[in-house]
Amino acid sequence: MSFQHGPDEVLARLAALREGDAPTHGGRVLSYVYDSGREELDELAAAAARLVQPVNGLDPTTFTSVAVMERELVGFARRAFHGDTDVVGSATSGGTESCLLAVKTARDVWRAAGGTGRPRLVAPSTVHAAFHKAAELFDLELDLVPVSAYDGRPDPAAFGERLAPDVALAVVSAPSYPFASLDPVAEIAALADAAGVALHVDACIGGFALAFWPEPLPAWDFRVPGVTSLSADLHKYGYAPKGASVLLTRGRDRQRHQYFATTGWPGYPVVNPTLAGSKPAGPLAAAWAITQTLGVDGFAELTAEAARATAAVIDAVAGIEGLRIVGEPTGPLLAVESDVDVEPELRVDPHRWADAALAAGWQLQLQPGFAQPGGAALPRTAHLTITPVTERVLGELLPALAGAADAVRGLPPIDGAAVLGELLAARPELGAALLPGGDGSGDAAGGAFRLGSDEAAGLLGSLGLLGGEEPLATRLAPVLALVEVLPRELTERLLVELLARAVEPVEAS
């Protein structure tokens, strides 16, 4: 057989391309990746995925291995999250799909019970963006409850005031991604149950860590009456390759609303429990193999390592003058903000700190400040995701975090308004695009930011975010400062263009 390029050549090029990626092993990237520190688990996952590479997960009656693996994987998750035999579920491609399906199911159940019009989805303002996507895709009104600026938790009473017959689903997080806060699940579940509203627990990021956490935690899973469904990702603290997640639902009749089925065409009958039709069996097989191998004891051991590393990082950050932990984080993640209780010359801006840490070889995640509608402003933070491998690199990480703080202590936070002002002074013609009406308010409903692709790309170039010589990831603090002050509709449009341009084909010259 003839090839355009030899397989060895293609693999060599792929290896070269991977050199530009952030490192996925070794603990230097404290977001996006979940390194168990066990090479044998990576090899196991790869071997399991390879065995089912040609299998189509669309039809578990034809490929019966899919049915067995999914059944056993859902069973492991049900035991981990204390579900009884009335709890059933599905394996999905990731947290976003699990969350989408939970919302779709709730909407359909609400409609079947007689609900008319546009239902509401009630959630804390810290709820994952997947629920914003779900509300948009399935036409629900997203009703966000403000959270405390201290610890990122919603007030149960304020949450309960939003619950009414037009609510198809309420959502809480265990924990939330931005601040690692464990929402008051039991209190809100009681209010939801009394109001006849279904409650979903989004445990996508930390569920498989909290299930084996070495310290006692408030009840947050199916032990809580009123919890209707729960999502948790196996490609996070289940240490499986992406993408693998589970969605568990209390009650078979409810869960069947998750499915799509049709015989209304001349082809084969279509029955889909998830959003995809044809789908790879590789991630499912990898997640199944890891849960089968580790079992409860293996997960407990890995979780204990992550817990010890998290405690060490929290203690170290607490000892850095000018920084402080947001609230009381639960599980193996945390957020860090500037300590505004010390003198300005002693404060450390978390975004400058994160950029300084990146320069030293450690990647934290920058989170912008957020103005909650009807609530307190939430601080800009740096987010750290801790994994079992972190414990092995604490000797390097902790001094690097302290050194990064020393390097930027006393420097004022980057002011997005000042950055924007400098940009407009240099390029006054951008004013009409960046500040419609001259005040930056914009008009999302009127389509004030319906920029064409070339216009959006031109703005990105003027902002230094497209085609610059310096990699964007090395200078994120100014970017996040602009995100904080530019109109939301404009930043979202520009971010779409940035990501779309990144994957557009490049014609050979």
Side-chain angles (χ1 to χ4, degrees):
M1 181 175 182
S2 61
F3 295 102
Q4 176 177 303
H5 299 286
D8 290 343
E9 178 186 358
V10 172
L11 292 177
R13 180 161 184 255
L14 178 57
L17 291 173
R18 284 282 287 114
E19 291 177 2
D21 291 344
T24 55
H25 292 78
R28 288 186 168 266
V29 176
L30 288 98
S31 62
Y32 294 128
V33 295
Y34 302 84
D35 186 1
S36 69
R38 303 297 198 279
E39 184 177 352
E40 62 270 28
L41 291 184
D42 292 340
E43 296 300 325
L44 170 68
R50 177 68 177 174
L51 281 173
V52 298
Q53 182 174 306
V55 168
N56 189 343
L58 168 67
D59 187 354
T61 67
T62 299
F63 301 102
T64 56
S65 63
V66 171
V68 174
M69 290 187 294
E70 184 162 3
R71 181 167 64 237
E72 294 183 358
L73 189 64
V74 168
F76 178 85
R78 181 167 73 180
R79 292 188 295 275
F81 302 129
H82 301 94
D84 59 23
T85 55
D86 194 37
V87 171
V88 292
S90 301
T92 77
S93 65
T96 293
E97 186 175 30
S98 290
C99 297
L100 291 177
L101 289 167
V103 174
K104 183 264 184 194
T105 300
R107 183 203 63 181
D108 290 357
V109 170
W110 180 82
R111 286 177 175 174
T116 59
R118 190 181 188 215
R120 283 188 295 133
L121 171 64
V122 178
S125 63
T126 48
V127 77
H128 194 275
F131 291 95
H132 292 244
K133 179 185 286 188
E136 180 175 319
L137 290 177
F138 300 125
D139 194 28
L140 289 84
E141 177 188 347
L142 184 61
D143 187 359
L144 296 178
V145 181
V147 300
S148 163
Y150 165 69
D151 63 6
R153 285 161 51 93
D155 174 60
F159 200 109
E161 291 173 357
R162 307 287 184 101
L163 302 178
D166 67 331
V167 177
L169 186 67
V171 181
V172 288
S173 303
S176 72
Y177 187 97
F179 304 132
S181 53
L182 179 61
D183 287 342
V185 177
E187 294 92 329
I188 291 176
L191 294 170
D193 193 41
V197 173
L199 180 70
H200 178 78
V201 175
D202 175 24
C204 282
I205 186 169
F208 279 100
L210 298 193
F212 303 99
W213 200 247
E215 300 172 359
L217 297 173
W220 58 273
D221 56 13
F222 284 109
R223 287 172 293 184
V224 178
V227 169
T228 310
S229 55
L230 183 151
S231 53
D233 290 359
L234 286 143
H235 62 218
K236 293 187 172 78
Y237 289 96
Y239 309 108
K242 300 188 185 313
S245 177
V246 291
L247 171 62
L248 302 179
T249 302
R250 196 194 300 269
R252 289 176 178 82
D253 290 341
R254 180 181 184 86
Q255 194 253 0
R256 298 326 189 231
H257 286 271
Q258 174 186 312
Y259 282 67
F260 169 81
T262 184
T263 56
W265 76 309
Y268 61 93
V270 172
V271 183
N272 301 143
T274 56
L275 297 177
S278 291
K279 54 188 177 183
L284 170 65
W288 172 84
I290 288 173
T291 57
Q292 291 284 310
T293 300
L294 287 177
V296 170
D297 291 343
F299 271 95
E301 180 180 335
L302 289 172
T303 302
E305 293 175 10
R308 290 193 298 267
T310 304
V313 172
I314 288 175
D315 287 345
V317 172
I320 297 176
E321 190 168 32
L323 290 173
R324 65 186 180 193
I325 305 294
V326 177
E328 300 174 1
T330 300
L333 49 153
L334 60 138
V336 181
E337 64 176 325
S338 180
D339 186 355
V340 296
D341 291 333
V342 301
E343 296 300 318
E345 61 270 17
L346 299 177
R347 295 174 191 169
V348 176
D349 176 64
H351 289 181
R352 288 189 184 274
W353 177 58
D355 278 356
L358 182 60
W362 302 87
Q363 188 166 326
L364 318 183
Q365 190 171 59
L366 286 70
Q367 300 183 136
F370 181 70
Q372 296 185 98
L378 301 179
R380 61 170 57 167
T381 59
H383 171 103
L384 290 79
T385 296
I386 310 300
T387 61
V389 78
T390 307
E391 188 175 36
R392 304 183 191 179
V393 298
L394 288 173
E396 300 173 75
L397 172 62
L398 301 186
L401 295 179
D406 292 340
V408 299
R409 185 174 289 107
L411 296 179
I414 295 178
D415 185 346
V419 173
L420 181 59
E422 292 175 6
L423 176 65
L424 292 176
R427 299 284 304 279
E429 70 276 12
L430 298 177
L434 295 178
L435 302 173
D439 62 1
S441 61
D443 178 9
F449 298 127
R450 289 176 182 165
L451 296 175
S453 295
D454 289 342
E455 293 174 294
L459 280 175
L460 287 168
S462 299
L463 294 169
L465 302 180
L466 192 66
E469 295 181 0
E470 183 183 6
L472 176 62
T474 64
R475 47 190 174 89
L476 283 174
V479 176
L480 270 291
L482 281 173
V483 168
E484 291 175 346
V485 298
L486 288 176
R488 172 183 163 185
E489 295 80 10
L490 176 58
T491 58
E492 290 170 354
R493 175 65 187 90
L494 293 178
L495 289 169
V496 166
E497 194 64 32
L498 181 66
L499 270 292
R501 295 272 172 169
V503 299
E504 283 190 3
V506 177
E507 297 297 330
S509 57

